[in-house]
Amino acid sequence: MAAEIQTLLALGLVAFAASWLVLRALAKKKHPGCGSDCGCATSELKAKLKK
């Protein structure tokens, strides 16, 4: 494989990976909440506490 082609492919791969990471970071900031174990009470527990 020619060195120029190999360099362009490597740069394209790095650009793709960097943009993917940036998009994932921005997506997490747009949708905060209990997507994981954040310490929030579950819906079932909240319902029991209201009774």
Side-chain angles (χ1 to χ4, degrees), residues 1-50:
M1 186 178 292
E4 295 87 15
I5 294 173
Q6 198 170 12
T7 301
L8 289 174
L9 287 174
L11 287 174
L13 182 64
V14 169
F16 173 75
S19 61
W20 181 73
L21 289 173
V22 168
L23 289 174
R24 280 188 46 102
L26 291 175
K28 294 254 182 199
K29 289 182 181 178
K30 287 182 183 177
H31 304 291
C34 292
S36 61
D37 186 21
C38 63
C40 299
T42 62
S43 299
E44 294 172 3
L45 181 59
K46 289 178 186 177
K48 287 180 183 179
L49 290 174
K50 286 184 180 180

